[in-house]
Amino acid sequence: ICFLLFAVLYIVSYFIITRYKRKADEQEDEDAIVNRISLFLSTFTLAVSAGAVLLLPFSIISNEILLSFPQNYYIQWLNGSLIHGLWNLASLFSNLCLFVLMPFAFFFLESEGFAGLKKGIRARILETLVMLILLALLILGIVWVASALIDNDAASMESLYDLWEFYLPYLYSCISLMGCLLLLLCTPVGLSRMFTVMGQLLVKPTILEDLDEQMYIITLEEEAIQRKLNGVSSTVEYQTVELERELEKVRSKKTNLERRKKASAWERNLVYPAVMILLLTETSFSVLLVALNILYLLVDETAMPKGSGGPGIGNASLSTFGFVGAALEIILIFYLMVSSVVGFYSLRFFENFTPRKDDTTMTKIIGNCVSILVLSSALPVMSRTLGITRFDLLGDFGRFNWLGNFYIVLSYNLLFAIMTTLCLVRKFTSAVREELLKALGLDKLHLSNNPRDSETKPSANGHQKTL
């Protein structure tokens, strides 16, 4: 069963990566083999990430199914042993991909072989292995020094020499904490960004708008830019590039207007408001659950993520509302994951990290796979820490050191609630704030962060044109 589930995830991940991978990377025979090996390792990592994302929803729905049909012959394969095994495999493969496979893929892709050795695959593998050993020594040294500084007692000093029982769990605990902090930064931004993304995908209602007039204006503008482009000499490269870029933007606007014009009244007036209300409801419900979890943390110590063990798979429902509550938890978990990915690529530091169709280098694909692996591995921990679900994390996911620290967990919940609320307030009050700035005459000071309000660019004749 584990093999079948992973095979499906691997096939889906392979099609996703090949959709974005740059086709021009495969030129020479040796480089083609290196790229192929790196592609397989990246696909394996992405499949593990997808498994880590689906792990918590699969466990929750499996628990409810076992409660509803305890003696059914056809679901005897779905038991606690399988769920525990999946959690342990996800933890093992996450460590393997994060500390071995992805560093190997990166160094193997960048390696050329040591000087003086015969060039080839063996030389590149040898250089990669040497780099991996040096990286492992560097990381272990950093962890050793950090552990000695934090816990300077005899028991901790003795545990420093235990590689398997201390080093790797401690290191993965630090990585999980970094992933949860990254989710804390990405998820609130993504929750507010989701409204903009869905607004771009759906057709907005046409209230007090004349689409025919806008189509006429945008057509005239396209024809004018096309005439300028035909009249500009090919030697003036700067003007040609600017005009082509402006023409592409105008055509994009024209395509959006045509789509809005062809959309039906149901799609314009019903689907868009319904989706926006649904997003607002899910976001508000998430903040409400986090606020309730903060109260539980202050009153009951068993609300801690590293609390007492649960009743086991198939013995009790994880939600007060039974199957309906479990379904809502699963929807919220997927919504938080999508929002975190959207927020991750919306951050300024990771904007250039976004993969492009048929134009993404193998190095960037490896970086994206590592980032998604860190986010997906931290998602079950974040969901349990925020109180989205009461499912006790199995395997190594529930044995992180920082999950037993009351102040870290409480601060995490408070920061998530505050940052999400601020992002939503800023999102829904931005239009009112911009109108107030214009009314007070402060819009010329560029106090607004929206670049669309005062975007100016030089036209072909050298004058400033305000859009």
Side-chain angles (χ1 to χ4, degrees):
I1 292 170
C2 296
F3 175 77
L4 289 176
L5 292 175
F6 184 78
V8 173
L9 293 177
Y10 188 90
I11 293 172
V12 174
S13 302
Y14 180 79
F15 283 113
I16 292 175
I17 290 183
T18 52
R19 176 182 176 84
Y20 290 98
K21 183 178 177 294
R22 181 181 292 176
K23 301 297 188 274
D25 283 346
E26 301 178 1
Q27 296 178 355
E28 301 177 4
D29 294 336
E30 183 179 327
D31 291 335
I33 295 175
V34 172
N35 275 311
R36 199 173 298 117
I37 295 175
S38 301
L39 174 64
F40 292 152
L41 295 179
S42 301
T43 306
F44 184 86
T45 304
L46 189 59
V48 172
S49 305
V53 170
L54 298 174
L55 193 59
L56 188 57
F58 180 77
S59 303
I60 295 173
I61 198 67
S62 300
N63 182 71
E64 299 300 326
I65 290 175
L66 289 175
L67 277 175
S68 303
F69 309 100
Q71 303 297 330
N72 196 318
Y73 173 77
Y74 296 101
I75 60 171
Q76 291 300 312
W77 58 273
L78 192 63
N79 48 40
S81 176
L82 174 65
I83 304 300
H84 279 268
L86 287 174
W87 279 85
N88 289 326
L89 286 176
S91 175
L92 174 64
F93 286 153
S94 298
N95 283 280
L96 182 66
C97 294
L98 194 60
F99 298 122
V100 179
L101 298 185
M102 284 293 94
F104 179 85
F106 176 76
F107 290 131
F108 190 47
L109 198 66
E110 300 294 328
S111 64
E112 296 179 357
F114 290 114
L117 295 178
K118 184 179 179 181
K119 300 298 181 181
I121 298 295
R122 292 184 179 180
R124 298 179 74 160
I125 292 177
L126 178 62
E127 181 185 352
T128 304
L129 292 178
V130 171
M131 293 297 296
L132 281 179
I133 293 174
L134 293 176
L135 179 64
L137 291 176
L138 176 63
I139 293 177
L140 291 178
I142 293 174
V143 174
W144 196 89
V145 172
S147 304
L149 291 176
I150 294 174
D151 296 326
N152 193 14
D153 55 347
S156 298
M157 294 301 291
E158 290 179 2
S159 65
L160 289 176
Y161 301 99
D162 194 347
L163 177 66
W164 186 259
E165 294 294 332
F166 177 78
Y167 265 122
L168 294 180
Y170 182 79
L171 185 59
Y172 192 57
S173 180
C174 295
I175 296 295
S176 73
L177 179 59
M178 292 174 57
C180 288
L181 293 177
L182 184 60
L183 281 176
L184 180 63
L185 183 64
C186 298
T187 308
V189 176
L191 289 174
S192 62
R193 178 70 177 164
M194 284 292 291
F195 294 92
T196 305
V197 172
M198 296 306 296
Q200 294 173 352
L201 296 176
L202 300 176
V203 178
K204 298 181 181 180
T206 55
I207 302 175
L208 301 178
E209 284 186 296
D210 190 352
L211 294 180
D212 294 329
E213 182 180 355
Q214 294 184 22
M215 280 291 298
Y216 179 72
I217 293 173
I218 204 75
T219 303
L220 290 178
E221 188 174 354
E222 180 186 9
E223 293 176 355
I225 296 175
Q226 189 65 51
R227 284 196 298 269
K228 289 180 183 179
L229 190 60
N230 295 333
V232 171
S233 175
S234 59
T235 57
V236 187
E237 185 177 354
Y238 171 77
Q239 292 186 359
T240 305
V241 172
E242 287 293 324
L243 286 174
E244 288 179 351
R245 192 176 303 168
E246 192 173 350
L247 182 61
E248 184 179 353
K249 290 182 179 180
V250 169
R251 286 176 175 172
S252 177
K253 293 179 182 179
K254 185 178 180 181
T255 304
N256 292 333
L257 283 175
E258 290 176 349
R259 182 168 174 262
R260 292 183 63 188
K261 192 175 179 180
K262 293 178 181 179
S264 62
W266 289 97
E267 186 179 357
R268 287 198 305 264
N269 303 322
L270 183 62
V271 175
Y272 181 83
V275 170
M276 291 298 151
I277 292 174
L278 181 62
L279 292 178
L280 184 60
T281 304
E282 290 182 348
T283 307
S284 304
F285 191 58
S286 303
V287 177
L288 180 62
L289 285 179
V290 175
L292 292 176
N293 189 54
I294 293 173
L295 295 178
Y296 287 143
L297 288 172
L298 296 175
V299 175
D300 189 4
E301 62 180 8
T302 59
M304 290 287 293
K306 206 173 184 178
S308 58
I313 303 296
N315 295 327
S317 180
L318 301 173
S319 176
T320 309
F321 302 100
F323 193 85
V324 177
L328 290 176
E329 289 180 2
I330 293 173
I331 292 173
L332 282 179
I333 290 171
F334 280 119
Y335 179 58
L336 289 178
M337 184 60 198
V338 174
S339 301
S340 63
V341 174
V342 171
F344 176 78
Y345 289 114
S346 298
L347 296 176
R348 292 185 179 180
F349 186 75
F350 299 106
E351 278 183 351
N352 296 327
F353 217 53
T354 307
R356 302 180 182 276
K357 183 181 177 182
D358 296 332
D359 192 30
T360 307
T361 61
M362 203 63 226
T363 306
K364 189 177 288 187
I365 287 177
I366 292 174
N368 278 276
C369 289
V370 171
S371 303
I372 293 176
L373 177 63
V374 172
L375 292 177
S376 60
S377 299
L379 179 67
V381 184
M382 186 191 75
S383 302
R384 181 66 181 91
T385 305
L386 295 178
I388 303 297
T389 179
R390 295 295 172 185
F391 184 84
D392 284 314
L393 305 177
L394 306 174
D396 291 337
F397 286 94
R399 291 199 290 266
F400 295 144
N401 299 328
W402 60 273
L403 287 178
N405 192 315
F406 172 77
Y407 297 102
I408 292 179
V409 174
L410 182 62
S411 302
Y412 193 89
N413 282 264
L414 287 172
L415 285 174
F416 182 87
I418 293 172
M419 291 176 63
T420 305
T421 305
L422 290 178
C423 287
L424 288 178
V425 169
R426 183 179 179 274
K427 175 69 179 178
F428 287 104
T429 59
S430 59
V432 178
R433 185 174 64 251
E434 290 159 6
E435 292 299 327
L436 285 176
L437 290 176
K438 290 180 182 179
L440 296 174
L442 299 177
D443 55 322
K444 298 179 181 178
L445 298 178
H446 305 290
L447 298 178
S448 175
N449 292 327
N450 190 0
R452 299 178 182 176
D453 297 336
S454 58
E455 184 181 356
T456 59
K457 62 173 71 176
S459 61
N461 55 6
H463 296 289
Q464 294 290 330
K465 183 177 181 180
T466 302
L467 298 182

mmCIF file of all heavy atoms in Angstrom, residues 37-72:
data_model
loop_
_atom_site.group_PDB
_atom_site.id
_atom_site.type_symbol
_atom_site.label_atom_id
_atom_site.label_comp_id
_atom_site.label_asym_id
_atom_site.label_seq_id
_atom_site.Cartn_x
_atom_site.Cartn_y
_atom_site.Cartn_z
ATOM 1 N N ILE A 37 19.790 12.424 -13.381
ATOM 2 C CA ILE A 37 19.884 11.957 -11.995
ATOM 3 C C ILE A 37 19.339 13.006 -11.035
ATOM 4 O O ILE A 37 18.582 12.699 -10.099
ATOM 5 C CB ILE A 37 21.344 11.599 -11.662
ATOM 6 C CG1 ILE A 37 21.805 10.399 -12.500
ATOM 7 C CG2 ILE A 37 21.501 11.302 -10.178
ATOM 8 C CD1 ILE A 37 23.264 10.057 -12.329
ATOM 9 N N SER A 38 19.696 14.268 -11.268
ATOM 10 C CA SER A 38 19.174 15.348 -10.424
ATOM 11 C C SER A 38 17.658 15.462 -10.552
ATOM 12 O O SER A 38 16.957 15.751 -9.567
ATOM 13 C CB SER A 38 19.844 16.673 -10.801
ATOM 14 O OG SER A 38 21.244 16.612 -10.639
ATOM 15 N N LEU A 39 17.146 15.215 -11.759
ATOM 16 C CA LEU A 39 15.696 15.256 -11.964
ATOM 17 C C LEU A 39 14.998 14.160 -11.167
ATOM 18 O O LEU A 39 13.960 14.414 -10.525
ATOM 19 C CB LEU A 39 15.392 15.103 -13.459
ATOM 20 C CG LEU A 39 13.911 14.989 -13.849
ATOM 21 C CD1 LEU A 39 13.166 16.258 -13.508
ATOM 22 C CD2 LEU A 39 13.778 14.669 -15.334
ATOM 23 N N PHE A 40 15.555 12.949 -11.161
ATOM 24 C CA PHE A 40 14.950 11.849 -10.413
ATOM 25 C C PHE A 40 14.984 12.129 -8.909
ATOM 26 O O PHE A 40 14.008 11.854 -8.195
ATOM 27 C CB PHE A 40 15.668 10.533 -10.718
ATOM 28 C CG PHE A 40 15.454 10.049 -12.131
ATOM 29 C CD1 PHE A 40 16.400 9.276 -12.773
ATOM 30 C CD2 PHE A 40 14.292 10.385 -12.810
ATOM 31 C CE1 PHE A 40 16.202 8.834 -14.074
ATOM 32 C CE2 PHE A 40 14.081 9.946 -14.111
ATOM 33 C CZ PHE A 40 15.032 9.177 -14.743
ATOM 34 N N LEU A 41 16.095 12.677 -8.420
ATOM 35 C CA LEU A 41 16.186 12.992 -6.996
ATOM 36 C C LEU A 41 15.221 14.105 -6.614
ATOM 37 O O LEU A 41 14.590 14.059 -5.540
ATOM 38 C CB LEU A 41 17.625 13.388 -6.645
ATOM 39 C CG LEU A 41 18.688 12.297 -6.804
ATOM 40 C CD1 LEU A 41 20.062 12.835 -6.447
ATOM 41 C CD2 LEU A 41 18.353 11.091 -5.935
ATOM 42 N N SER A 42 15.075 15.109 -7.483
ATOM 43 C CA SER A 42 14.123 16.194 -7.209
ATOM 44 C C SER A 42 12.685 15.673 -7.237
ATOM 45 O O SER A 42 11.840 16.085 -6.422
ATOM 46 C CB SER A 42 14.296 17.320 -8.234
ATOM 47 O OG SER A 42 15.605 17.839 -8.202
ATOM 48 N N THR A 43 12.397 14.768 -8.171
ATOM 49 C CA THR A 43 11.057 14.173 -8.231
ATOM 50 C C THR A 43 10.762 13.372 -6.971
ATOM 51 O O THR A 43 9.652 13.441 -6.427
ATOM 52 C CB THR A 43 10.941 13.272 -9.468
ATOM 53 O OG1 THR A 43 11.310 14.015 -10.641
ATOM 54 C CG2 THR A 43 9.526 12.765 -9.636
ATOM 55 N N PHE A 44 11.751 12.631 -6.497
ATOM 56 C CA PHE A 44 11.583 11.873 -5.255
ATOM 57 C C PHE A 44 11.291 12.813 -4.088
ATOM 58 O O PHE A 44 10.402 12.552 -3.259
ATOM 59 C CB PHE A 44 12.853 11.060 -4.988
ATOM 60 C CG PHE A 44 12.775 10.163 -3.784
ATOM 61 C CD1 PHE A 44 12.253 8.895 -3.896
ATOM 62 C CD2 PHE A 44 13.226 10.601 -2.549
ATOM 63 C CE1 PHE A 44 12.179 8.057 -2.782
ATOM 64 C CE2 PHE A 44 13.151 9.786 -1.440
ATOM 65 C CZ PHE A 44 12.626 8.506 -1.558
ATOM 66 N N THR A 45 12.014 13.928 -4.016
ATOM 67 C CA THR A 45 11.806 14.895 -2.930
ATOM 68 C C THR A 45 10.428 15.528 -3.005
ATOM 69 O O THR A 45 9.750 15.705 -1.987
ATOM 70 C CB THR A 45 12.887 15.979 -2.993
ATOM 71 O OG1 THR A 45 14.176 15.365 -2.936
ATOM 72 C CG2 THR A 45 12.744 16.967 -1.859
ATOM 73 N N LEU A 46 9.986 15.877 -4.223
ATOM 74 C CA LEU A 46 8.657 16.476 -4.364
ATOM 75 C C LEU A 46 7.562 15.472 -3.995
ATOM 76 O O LEU A 46 6.540 15.847 -3.408
ATOM 77 C CB LEU A 46 8.468 16.968 -5.795
ATOM 78 C CG LEU A 46 7.221 17.815 -6.064
ATOM 79 C CD1 LEU A 46 7.216 19.065 -5.202
ATOM 80 C CD2 LEU A 46 7.140 18.204 -7.539
ATOM 81 N N ALA A 47 7.773 14.190 -4.323
ATOM 82 C CA ALA A 47 6.797 13.164 -3.937
ATOM 83 C C ALA A 47 6.735 13.011 -2.423
ATOM 84 O O ALA A 47 5.653 12.852 -1.842
ATOM 85 C CB ALA A 47 7.168 11.835 -4.597
ATOM 86 N N VAL A 48 7.883 13.075 -1.754
ATOM 87 C CA VAL A 48 7.907 13.021 -0.290
ATOM 88 C C VAL A 48 7.191 14.242 0.295
ATOM 89 O O VAL A 48 6.452 14.128 1.292
ATOM 90 C CB VAL A 48 9.356 12.924 0.212
ATOM 91 C CG1 VAL A 48 9.426 13.072 1.727
ATOM 92 C CG2 VAL A 48 9.972 11.609 -0.207
ATOM 93 N N SER A 49 7.384 15.407 -0.314
ATOM 94 C CA SER A 49 6.691 16.611 0.153
ATOM 95 C C SER A 49 5.181 16.461 0.024
ATOM 96 O O SER A 49 4.427 16.827 0.946
ATOM 97 C CB SER A 49 7.166 17.831 -0.645
ATOM 98 O OG SER A 49 8.566 17.976 -0.584
ATOM 99 N N ALA A 50 4.728 15.931 -1.117
ATOM 100 C CA ALA A 50 3.293 15.715 -1.290
ATOM 101 C C ALA A 50 2.762 14.710 -0.274
ATOM 102 O O ALA A 50 1.656 14.869 0.266
ATOM 103 C CB ALA A 50 3.012 15.226 -2.714
ATOM 104 N N GLY A 51 3.566 13.667 0.017
ATOM 105 C CA GLY A 51 3.153 12.704 1.029
ATOM 106 C C GLY A 51 3.052 13.318 2.410
ATOM 107 O O GLY A 51 2.128 13.009 3.178
ATOM 108 N N ALA A 52 3.989 14.217 2.742
ATOM 109 C CA ALA A 52 3.931 14.888 4.043
ATOM 110 C C ALA A 52 2.714 15.798 4.152
ATOM 111 O O ALA A 52 2.123 15.939 5.233
ATOM 112 C CB ALA A 52 5.219 15.689 4.262
ATOM 113 N N VAL A 53 2.319 16.421 3.029
ATOM 114 C CA VAL A 53 1.126 17.274 3.041
ATOM 115 C C VAL A 53 -0.135 16.440 3.225
ATOM 116 O O VAL A 53 -1.044 16.804 3.991
ATOM 117 C CB VAL A 53 1.050 18.094 1.726
ATOM 118 C CG1 VAL A 53 -0.295 18.803 1.613
ATOM 119 C CG2 VAL A 53 2.179 19.097 1.666
ATOM 120 N N LEU A 54 -0.205 15.299 2.528
ATOM 121 C CA LEU A 54 -1.408 14.469 2.570
ATOM 122 C C LEU A 54 -1.473 13.586 3.802
ATOM 123 O O LEU A 54 -2.509 12.945 4.042
ATOM 124 C CB LEU A 54 -1.464 13.594 1.316
ATOM 125 C CG LEU A 54 -1.560 14.327 -0.020
ATOM 126 C CD1 LEU A 54 -1.455 13.333 -1.168
ATOM 127 C CD2 LEU A 54 -2.851 15.110 -0.117
ATOM 128 N N LEU A 55 -0.386 13.532 4.576
ATOM 129 C CA LEU A 55 -0.314 12.600 5.690
ATOM 130 C C LEU A 55 -1.348 12.903 6.769
ATOM 131 O O LEU A 55 -2.099 12.012 7.206
ATOM 132 C CB LEU A 55 1.099 12.644 6.285
ATOM 133 C CG LEU A 55 1.473 11.545 7.262
ATOM 134 C CD1 LEU A 55 1.354 10.190 6.595
ATOM 135 C CD2 LEU A 55 2.902 11.761 7.751
ATOM 136 N N LEU A 56 -1.410 14.148 7.207
ATOM 137 C CA LEU A 56 -2.346 14.514 8.270
ATOM 138 C C LEU A 56 -3.809 14.387 7.837
ATOM 139 O O LEU A 56 -4.615 13.787 8.572
ATOM 140 C CB LEU A 56 -2.028 15.928 8.761
ATOM 141 C CG LEU A 56 -2.788 16.409 9.995
ATOM 142 C CD1 LEU A 56 -2.568 15.468 11.160
ATOM 143 C CD2 LEU A 56 -2.353 17.823 10.369
ATOM 144 N N PRO A 57 -4.223 14.914 6.663
ATOM 145 C CA PRO A 57 -5.614 14.688 6.224
ATOM 146 C C PRO A 57 -5.957 13.208 6.064
ATOM 147 O O PRO A 57 -7.060 12.787 6.427
ATOM 148 C CB PRO A 57 -5.694 15.433 4.887
ATOM 149 C CG PRO A 57 -4.633 16.451 4.951
ATOM 150 C CD PRO A 57 -3.535 15.838 5.756
ATOM 151 N N PHE A 58 -5.015 12.410 5.533
ATOM 152 C CA PHE A 58 -5.261 10.977 5.370
ATOM 153 C C PHE A 58 -5.467 10.295 6.719
ATOM 154 O O PHE A 58 -6.335 9.425 6.879
ATOM 155 C CB PHE A 58 -4.091 10.339 4.622
ATOM 156 C CG PHE A 58 -4.225 8.866 4.400
ATOM 157 C CD1 PHE A 58 -5.053 8.374 3.407
ATOM 158 C CD2 PHE A 58 -3.530 7.954 5.191
ATOM 159 C CE1 PHE A 58 -5.184 7.008 3.193
ATOM 160 C CE2 PHE A 58 -3.653 6.593 4.993
ATOM 161 C CZ PHE A 58 -4.484 6.118 3.989
ATOM 162 N N SER A 59 -4.685 10.692 7.722
ATOM 163 C CA SER A 59 -4.826 10.102 9.051
ATOM 164 C C SER A 59 -6.158 10.481 9.680
ATOM 165 O O SER A 59 -6.815 9.645 10.319
ATOM 166 C CB SER A 59 -3.667 10.562 9.941
ATOM 167 O OG SER A 59 -2.420 10.225 9.374
ATOM 168 N N ILE A 60 -6.574 11.745 9.518
ATOM 169 C CA ILE A 60 -7.835 12.195 10.117
ATOM 170 C C ILE A 60 -9.019 11.473 9.483
ATOM 171 O O ILE A 60 -9.915 10.974 10.180
ATOM 172 C CB ILE A 60 -7.965 13.730 9.958
ATOM 173 C CG1 ILE A 60 -6.877 14.445 10.766
ATOM 174 C CG2 ILE A 60 -9.342 14.199 10.407
ATOM 175 C CD1 ILE A 60 -6.828 15.938 10.536
ATOM 176 N N ILE A 61 -9.041 11.404 8.145
ATOM 177 C CA ILE A 61 -10.167 10.750 7.472
ATOM 178 C C ILE A 61 -10.151 9.245 7.728
ATOM 179 O O ILE A 61 -11.218 8.607 7.836
ATOM 180 C CB ILE A 61 -10.143 11.068 5.959
ATOM 181 C CG1 ILE A 61 -11.504 10.796 5.335
ATOM 182 C CG2 ILE A 61 -9.059 10.302 5.244
ATOM 183 C CD1 ILE A 61 -12.599 11.700 5.797
ATOM 184 N N SER A 62 -8.960 8.637 7.867
ATOM 185 C CA SER A 62 -8.879 7.212 8.174
ATOM 186 C C SER A 62 -9.451 6.920 9.554
ATOM 187 O O SER A 62 -10.149 5.910 9.757
ATOM 188 C CB SER A 62 -7.428 6.743 8.104
ATOM 189 O OG SER A 62 -6.893 6.942 6.810
ATOM 190 N N ASN A 63 -9.172 7.794 10.524
ATOM 191 C CA ASN A 63 -9.711 7.609 11.868
ATOM 192 C C ASN A 63 -11.233 7.657 11.872
ATOM 193 O O ASN A 63 -11.897 6.839 12.527
ATOM 194 C CB ASN A 63 -9.134 8.687 12.788
ATOM 195 C CG ASN A 63 -9.593 8.537 14.218
ATOM 196 O OD1 ASN A 63 -9.189 7.626 14.918
ATOM 197 N ND2 ASN A 63 -10.455 9.442 14.660
ATOM 198 N N GLU A 64 -11.814 8.589 11.103
ATOM 199 C CA GLU A 64 -13.274 8.695 11.054
ATOM 200 C C GLU A 64 -13.891 7.492 10.330
ATOM 201 O O GLU A 64 -14.972 7.020 10.711
ATOM 202 C CB GLU A 64 -13.677 9.999 10.365
ATOM 203 C CG GLU A 64 -13.188 11.256 11.075
ATOM 204 C CD GLU A 64 -13.709 11.386 12.491
ATOM 205 O OE1 GLU A 64 -14.863 10.963 12.734
ATOM 206 O OE2 GLU A 64 -12.971 11.886 13.352
ATOM 207 N N ILE A 65 -13.227 7.003 9.297
ATOM 208 C CA ILE A 65 -13.745 5.828 8.570
ATOM 209 C C ILE A 65 -13.726 4.593 9.470
ATOM 210 O O ILE A 65 -14.678 3.800 9.498
ATOM 211 C CB ILE A 65 -12.919 5.595 7.285
ATOM 212 C CG1 ILE A 65 -13.197 6.704 6.272
ATOM 213 C CG2 ILE A 65 -13.242 4.242 6.670
ATOM 214 C CD1 ILE A 65 -12.346 6.620 5.019
ATOM 215 N N LEU A 66 -12.638 4.425 10.226
ATOM 216 C CA LEU A 66 -12.564 3.274 11.133
ATOM 217 C C LEU A 66 -13.602 3.359 12.241
ATOM 218 O O LEU A 66 -14.097 2.334 12.730
ATOM 219 C CB LEU A 66 -11.155 3.187 11.736
ATOM 220 C CG LEU A 66 -10.042 2.764 10.772
ATOM 221 C CD1 LEU A 66 -8.684 2.845 11.449
ATOM 222 C CD2 LEU A 66 -10.287 1.344 10.275
ATOM 223 N N LEU A 67 -13.943 4.580 12.666
ATOM 224 C CA LEU A 67 -15.003 4.741 13.658
ATOM 225 C C LEU A 67 -16.368 4.408 13.078
ATOM 226 O O LEU A 67 -17.215 3.811 13.749
ATOM 227 C CB LEU A 67 -15.008 6.177 14.194
ATOM 228 C CG LEU A 67 -14.017 6.502 15.308
ATOM 229 C CD1 LEU A 67 -14.078 7.989 15.638
ATOM 230 C CD2 LEU A 67 -14.310 5.687 16.547
ATOM 231 N N SER A 68 -16.596 4.789 11.819
ATOM 232 C CA SER A 68 -17.907 4.571 11.203
ATOM 233 C C SER A 68 -18.110 3.121 10.793
ATOM 234 O O SER A 68 -19.220 2.595 10.880
ATOM 235 C CB SER A 68 -18.058 5.488 9.983
ATOM 236 O OG SER A 68 -17.897 6.844 10.345
ATOM 237 N N PHE A 69 -17.039 2.456 10.319
ATOM 238 C CA PHE A 69 -17.152 1.062 9.850
ATOM 239 C C PHE A 69 -16.083 0.218 10.545
ATOM 240 O O PHE A 69 -15.074 -0.156 9.927
ATOM 241 C CB PHE A 69 -16.981 0.984 8.330
ATOM 242 C CG PHE A 69 -17.862 1.955 7.580
ATOM 243 C CD1 PHE A 69 -17.347 3.161 7.102
ATOM 244 C CD2 PHE A 69 -19.190 1.661 7.340
ATOM 245 C CE1 PHE A 69 -18.145 4.050 6.405
ATOM 246 C CE2 PHE A 69 -20.001 2.546 6.643
ATOM 247 C CZ PHE A 69 -19.483 3.734 6.176
ATOM 248 N N PRO A 70 -16.277 -0.087 11.811
ATOM 249 C CA PRO A 70 -15.208 -0.797 12.545
ATOM 250 C C PRO A 70 -15.006 -2.247 12.108
ATOM 251 O O PRO A 70 -13.891 -2.763 12.194
ATOM 252 C CB PRO A 70 -15.685 -0.720 14.006
ATOM 253 C CG PRO A 70 -17.165 -0.542 13.910
ATOM 254 C CD PRO A 70 -17.433 0.221 12.649
ATOM 255 N N GLN A 71 -16.054 -2.919 11.642
ATOM 256 C CA GLN A 71 -15.958 -4.334 11.312
ATOM 257 C C GLN A 71 -16.053 -4.614 9.816
ATOM 258 O O GLN A 71 -16.265 -5.760 9.423
ATOM 259 C CB GLN A 71 -17.082 -5.110 12.036
ATOM 260 C CG GLN A 71 -17.075 -4.949 13.534
ATOM 261 C CD GLN A 71 -15.813 -5.497 14.180
ATOM 262 O OE1 GLN A 71 -15.220 -6.453 13.663
ATOM 263 N NE2 GLN A 71 -15.419 -4.915 15.304
ATOM 264 N N ASN A 72 -15.927 -3.588 8.991
ATOM 265 C CA ASN A 72 -16.058 -3.776 7.553
ATOM 266 C C ASN A 72 -14.845 -4.544 7.014
ATOM 267 O O ASN A 72 -13.693 -4.195 7.287
ATOM 268 C CB ASN A 72 -16.183 -2.414 6.862
ATOM 269 C CG ASN A 72 -16.693 -2.533 5.442
ATOM 270 O OD1 ASN A 72 -16.283 -3.416 4.702
ATOM 271 N ND2 ASN A 72 -17.605 -1.659 5.066
#
